[in-house]
Amino acid sequence: LAVGGSEMLLSAVLPKWFVRQRARALAIASSGAGAGPLIFPIWVSAVIEAWGWRNGWLALGVAGLLILFPLSFFVHTRPEDIGLHPDGDSGEGATAGGPAGARRPGAERSFTRDEAVKERSFWLLNVSGALFVAGLTGLQTNWLVYFQDIGFPPSTAALSATAFGVGSFSARFLWGSFAGKASVRKLMTLATVLTAASVLLLFPVNTLWMM
């Protein structure tokens, strides 16, 4: 549920607030997920070690509810709902004929649900996104055990999570900077290919520097 909520904010809410600066806004907003592996594994391990995994996970769930539920009341789906416009434009600049209209990357079309489900792109994006998340999530939940199984001590295997956190956090800003200058379709393809290659490269790992 927490993952679904964060993905909903990134994919459905945030793009409505930004047009010209959308790539940068998405990079900044998603950096929290990238920073998670740097911060939470140590904290979560300490909680579980102190209280046991059942009580530890219960405490983490309650903490997430107490923090996220009140914040949800401050989220507005669209800037127009509270009298604002995307990118902080004035009412005149937000229209196609206004003085700021020329700065738009092009008029955006909003699809209804019935229109969207008839588009091939809609299904390709959903299927590819689901496969990407399933594959990467499965990797994250098993790589520590995998590295221990092939001979790394637990403390050394944990370095893989730290390395992933560093790469994930920094790469979001890198991709965000490219997204404003290059084709998003090509960048998504490249990112997916690199991710698939990184998974395959796990199999020959047998030394610390390779890990």
Side-chain angles (χ1 to χ4, degrees):
L1 290 176
V3 172
S6 64
E7 290 299 322
M8 181 64 71
L9 287 174
L10 288 175
S11 61
V13 177
L14 192 65
K16 292 182 172 65
W17 283 82
F18 298 92
V19 177
R20 294 189 306 275
Q21 301 295 329
R22 181 173 293 160
R24 181 179 298 177
L26 287 170
I28 295 173
S30 64
S31 64
L38 292 173
I39 302 171
F40 288 101
I42 298 176
W43 181 51
V44 170
S45 297
V47 171
I48 292 176
E49 184 176 351
W51 296 348
W53 71 267
R54 288 186 175 85
N55 292 330
W57 278 112
L58 177 61
L60 292 172
V62 171
L65 180 64
L66 293 177
I67 294 172
L68 297 177
F69 182 71
L71 291 177
S72 66
F73 291 98
F74 294 94
V75 176
H76 296 278
T77 304
R78 303 179 305 164
E80 292 84 357
D81 293 341
I82 54 175
L84 301 176
H85 298 280
D87 295 312
D89 285 341
S90 63
E92 294 79 11
T95 61
R103 299 200 306 268
R104 295 282 185 190
E108 293 199 326
R109 178 188 172 193
S110 295
F111 287 83
T112 65
R113 179 181 59 188
D114 291 338
E115 290 174 335
V117 297
K118 295 176 183 177
E119 294 289 331
R120 186 181 69 165
S121 297
F122 172 82
W123 295 105
L124 288 175
L125 286 169
N126 275 280
V127 171
S128 61
L131 291 173
F132 183 89
V133 172
L136 192 59
T137 303
L139 170 67
Q140 291 173 325
T141 55
N142 290 286
W143 65 28
L144 295 183
V145 178
Y146 169 73
F147 286 135
Q148 292 179 53
D149 285 345
I150 62 175
F152 289 101
S155 58
T156 304
L159 293 175
S160 62
T162 302
F164 172 80
V166 171
S168 179
F169 179 76
S170 58
R172 292 167 196 266
F173 295 96
L174 180 65
W175 288 112
S177 66
F178 289 154
K181 305 171 185 176
S183 166
V184 173
R185 179 182 296 180
K186 293 179 180 178
L187 291 174
M188 289 176 66
T189 302
L190 178 59
T192 305
V193 169
L194 290 175
T195 301
S198 68
V199 175
L200 293 175
L201 287 173
L202 284 175
F203 293 100
V205 169
N206 54 25
T207 63
L208 177 61
W209 73 268
M210 290 179 68
M211 181 183 72

